[in-house]
Amino acid sequence: MEFRIRAATREDCRDIFRMIRELAVYEKMLDKVKISHEVLERDGFSENPFFHCLVAEVPQQYRTMEGYTLVGYALYSYTYSTWKGRSVYMEDLYVMPEFRGQYTCGCSCEIIAKEQQCVRLNFSVLDWNKPSMDFYLAKGAQNLTTTEGWHCLRFEGEALDKLAEQALNKTGHLSHQH
Amino acid sequence: MEFRIRAATREDCRDIFRMIRELAVYEKMLDKVKISHEVLERDGFSENPFFHCLVAEVPQQYRTMEGYTLVGYALYSYTYSTWKGRSVYMEDLYVMPEFRGQYTCGCSCEIIAKEQQCVRLNFSVLDWNKPSMDFYLAKGAQNLTTTEGWHCLRFEGEALDKLAEQALNKTGHLSHQH
């Protein structure tokens, strides 16, 4: 089937948000989605975007029963390795069930990585999601948790608030531009 | 001791690169550092930077024996949670040994996170690096690998080349802007 991968625009945010919710339903975690399409528009399509996004689009004649022509997305950000340089972090990759099997992998995040001279494409997979894990490993991905022992850590909510408060008390001031 | 945390400038790249190497020596992985201070200047201080960086600076009277006044750095990027929104990924945090204990945590990445209305501060820790792991967990960080099963995956080198090549063959074309 013919399809096109292109950079998302502000106008795609309703569709992207729809697919974010579809992915969350699949993961049985819809109640965890706290954003909205307006938030996506603000955070991804203003001067200093917090993310980039690709969408997969099919021609009108292949639209879904509901009339959708956007059938997949890959949301990513640039990160940086202090040893190797430019990297891409892929946060989400989703293709609507009826369109799966059309894509090799990564919804072309890997093409972005190469074009932007990035040396790494990083992402996270749940260890119980065996189909995904097997898929990526078969494509040549390394599992850095099992091979090198890297663990994913996170501060959020109250722990992040407390940390920031302590840091501000200690440093007294912070001068910076973004 | 008095010190200042500020956003790094292009002129700090030699010092940041020096500290990246110091950290790699500590990790016994100096041969893995493939970048240079010129690469840092290009990737971090041009129009669309691939990373952001904070530095810790002490007044002249506290400079090191070698004459350095930059004594720590935190290198980070913005990433994005499709459930919760804006996030910060902290790639490196380093403070020169003789200045440790001056900072609460995170070299103020957590302040950046709060100021930029980010809801998460993410980072990775090696499971055998028990002092660091214990330090962050005691501060309230969650270990998402042990609690939720998230594993870090990566394509790089030949695997990434091959993936991009396959994707290009399959999609035929890719239209996008950055």
Side-chain angles (χ1 to χ4, degrees):
Chain A
M1 184 191 298
E2 193 192 333
F3 66 96
R4 192 165 74 113
I5 308 282
R6 61 169 174 79
T9 65
R10 178 181 283 263
E11 290 64 42
D12 297 325
C13 285
R14 276 179 193 272
D15 269 302
I16 296 166
F17 183 58
R18 165 182 58 81
M19 293 188 281
I20 287 171
R21 287 171 54 92
E22 285 174 20
L23 180 55
V25 167
Y26 166 77
E27 291 169 326
K28 299 187 175 43
M29 302 225 202
L30 185 55
D31 60 312
K32 294 228 176 163
V33 179
K34 303 295 182 199
I35 63 161
S36 64
H37 74 268
E38 291 92 345
V39 168
L40 289 175
E41 289 168 3
R42 180 196 70 193
D43 289 346
F45 300 92
S46 46
E47 205 179 335
N48 293 303
F50 283 80
F51 66 84
H52 302 273
C53 192
L54 296 172
V55 288
E57 189 170 37
V58 294
Q60 277 293 338
Q61 68 263 36
Y62 298 122
R63 68 182 178 279
T64 67
M65 278 174 42
E66 300 84 359
Y68 301 131
T69 53
L70 292 196
V71 301
Y73 75 96
L75 193 140
Y76 65 97
S77 302
Y78 293 109
T79 55
Y80 204 75
S81 159
T82 47
W83 293 353
K84 303 266 189 96
R86 301 178 186 185
S87 307
V88 168
Y89 183 81
M90 183 172 70
E91 178 70 30
D92 271 6
L93 168 63
Y94 177 74
V95 177
M96 291 175 72
E98 57 266 51
F99 295 92
R100 284 177 200 163
Q102 310 291 330
Y103 306 88
T104 49
C105 179
C107 204
S108 299
C109 264
E110 64 273 24
I111 302 180
I112 297 290
K114 296 301 292 181
E115 283 189 354
Q116 292 287 300
Q117 297 168 298
C118 294
V119 294
R120 290 175 167 175
L121 173 59
N122 296 312
F123 53 106
S124 307
V125 176
L126 284 160
D127 58 0
W128 52 258
N129 189 350
K130 205 165 162 356
S132 288
M133 189 68 89
D134 289 348
F135 175 80
Y136 290 119
L137 294 179
K139 293 279 178 193
Q142 304 165 56
N143 182 333
L144 300 170
T145 301
T146 53
T147 60
E148 298 184 1
W150 288 103
H151 282 215
C152 312
L153 270 79
R154 174 180 298 159
F155 286 102
E156 71 179 323
E158 220 172 283
L160 181 58
D161 292 343
K162 207 172 146 192
L163 205 63
E165 199 179 303
Q166 286 175 349
L168 272 173
N169 286 342
K170 193 120 178 186
T171 62
H173 63 279
L174 174 70
S175 14
H176 60 83
Q177 305 90 34
H178 304 286
Chain B
M1 185 191 299
E2 192 193 334
F3 65 96
R4 192 164 75 112
I5 308 282
R6 61 168 174 80
T9 65
R10 178 180 283 265
E11 289 65 42
D12 297 325
C13 286
R14 277 179 192 271
D15 268 302
I16 296 166
F17 183 59
R18 164 181 60 80
M19 292 188 282
I20 286 171
R21 287 172 53 92
E22 286 175 19
L23 179 54
V25 167
Y26 166 77
E27 291 169 327
K28 300 186 173 45
M29 302 226 201
L30 186 55
D31 60 312
K32 294 228 177 164
V33 179
K34 303 295 182 200
I35 63 162
S36 64
H37 74 269
E38 290 93 346
V39 168
L40 289 175
E41 288 168 5
R42 180 196 69 193
D43 289 346
F45 300 92
S46 45
E47 205 179 335
N48 293 304
F50 284 78
F51 66 84
H52 301 273
C53 192
L54 296 171
V55 287
E57 190 170 36
V58 294
Q60 277 294 336
Q61 68 263 37
Y62 298 122
R63 70 182 176 277
T64 67
M65 277 174 42
E66 301 84 359
Y68 302 131
T69 52
L70 292 196
V71 301
Y73 75 97
L75 193 140
Y76 65 97
S77 303
Y78 293 108
T79 56
Y80 204 75
S81 159
T82 48
W83 292 353
K84 303 267 189 97
R86 301 179 186 186
S87 306
V88 168
Y89 183 79
M90 183 172 70
E91 177 70 30
D92 272 5
L93 168 62
Y94 177 73
V95 177
M96 292 175 71
E98 58 265 50
F99 295 93
R100 284 178 200 163
Q102 311 290 330
Y103 305 89
T104 49
C105 180
C107 205
S108 300
C109 264
E110 63 275 24
I111 302 179
I112 296 291
K114 296 301 293 180
E115 283 189 354
Q116 292 287 299
Q117 297 168 298
C118 294
V119 294
R120 289 175 166 175
L121 173 59
N122 295 311
F123 54 105
S124 308
V125 175
L126 284 161
D127 58 0
W128 51 257
N129 188 351
K130 205 166 164 350
S132 288
M133 189 68 89
D134 290 347
F135 175 79
Y136 290 119
L137 295 179
K139 293 279 178 193
Q142 304 165 56
N143 182 334
L144 301 171
T145 301
T146 53
T147 59
E148 299 184 0
W150 289 103
H151 281 215
C152 311
L153 270 79
R154 174 181 297 161
F155 285 103
E156 71 179 323
E158 220 171 282
L160 181 59
D161 292 343
K162 207 172 145 192
L163 205 64
E165 199 179 302
Q166 286 175 349
L168 272 173
N169 287 342
K170 193 120 177 188
T171 61
H173 62 280
L174 173 71
S175 15
H176 60 84
Q177 305 90 34
H178 304 287

